[in-house]
Amino acid sequence: MNVQQTINFLKGQSPSRTLVSPVHLTWLVNHIRSLSSGTPRKMVECGVARGGCLALCSKANPNMTVIGLDSWQGMPPITEEDNKQKCQQWVGSKWGTAQDVYSTYSMIGADTKNLTLLEGWFEDTIPSNLDLFNDLDILRIDSDFYKSVKYCLEMLFDKVKPGGVVIFDDWNFNPEGVRSAAYEFLNQRNLEVNIIPHEQGRGPAYFVKPLS
């Protein structure tokens, strides 16, 4: 299967193996393939669900270290920064299990040899594994709500290589919460970046970490 066929296959499963925008998934696979193979590559995804996005990334580069973080215990409470109308209904919702991720990998023949899954709340798993996140090429934040997005930036942005990419999956799903977290963090660091959405009014957005 080519990339588009694989994306369609994952989305066509019941339940779907990924809810991520096909436009973004295609871009992400192409970005991973564009990275030079002579340098060790690493990505982390904060918010994995059933692992469709991670499986595609591992398939694109089987030698890339891939780290997935998720509680698999349900979505946490929202805060006042989040869009209550959109977000409140998802509090407590569970999106798969860690075992589902391995099943997704198997479905498309993706190798799990370089996959590490950390199960638990970010506040517990990130501080106790900080060295694991050194030298990230990709930080993909798919945690929906303000508090967790801000926390991931605070803890993991410094682990991203200059020239690496930071991705906000929920840029348009919960703009009040996700964009507030992003801009507050960037302002605190006095960083000027160009945040690029993949599609107007929908889907993820990303920026490239400045070289200096």
Side-chain angles (χ1 to χ4, degrees), residues 96-107:
T97 66
Q99 186 54 49
D100 286 335
V101 179
Y102 292 107
S103 297
T104 300
Y105 268 67
S106 179
M107 284 179 179

Side-chain angles (χ1 to χ4, degrees), residues 6-161:
T6 305
I7 292 171
N8 291 340
F9 171 78
L10 291 171
K11 285 189 164 293
Q13 299 302 301
S14 182
S16 177
R17 294 286 155 165
T18 179
L19 299 177
V20 178
S21 155
V23 172
H24 172 67
L25 290 172
T26 302
W27 172 87
L28 184 57
V29 167
N30 289 334
H31 174 72
I32 289 169
R33 288 176 173 172
S34 75
L35 298 173
S36 64
S37 58
T39 302
R41 299 299 179 180
K42 184 187 294 185
M43 75 168 287
V44 61
E45 183 175 51
C46 302
V48 174
R50 299 184 183 95
C53 181
L54 282 188
L56 282 164
C57 293
S58 290
K59 187 83 170 174
N61 182 354
N63 295 315
M64 181 172 64
T65 298
V66 175
I67 306 164
L69 292 80
D70 204 300
S71 72
W72 288 290
Q73 297 175 43
M75 297 295 293
I78 64 173
T79 60
E80 62 182 10
E81 291 86 358
D82 295 304
N83 183 315
K84 185 175 181 179
Q85 183 177 1
K86 285 186 176 181
C87 299
Q88 182 62 50
Q89 61 185 315
W90 301 114
V91 172
S93 297
K94 295 182 180 180
W95 300 96
T97 66
Q99 186 54 49
D100 286 335
V101 179
Y102 292 107
S103 297
T104 300
Y105 268 67
S106 179
M107 284 179 179
I108 64 170
D111 199 327
T112 60
K113 66 179 180 180
N114 292 314
L115 170 67
T116 298
L117 298 179
L118 300 178
E119 185 168 358
W121 301 110
F122 298 155
E123 292 84 350
D124 298 322
T125 56
I126 293 177
S128 58
N129 293 280
L130 276 178
D131 289 344
L132 191 64
F133 305 111
N134 291 338
D135 300 320
L136 293 175
D137 294 282
I138 300 168
L139 169 59
R140 188 172 188 285
I141 304 175
D142 189 356
S143 56
D144 294 64
F145 303 159
Y146 167 87
K147 183 178 179 181
S148 55
V149 172
K150 185 81 176 291
Y151 183 80
C152 290
L153 285 170
E154 291 171 343
M155 296 298 291
L156 296 175
F157 177 80
D158 290 336
K159 300 292 187 177
V160 179
K161 298 174 184 175

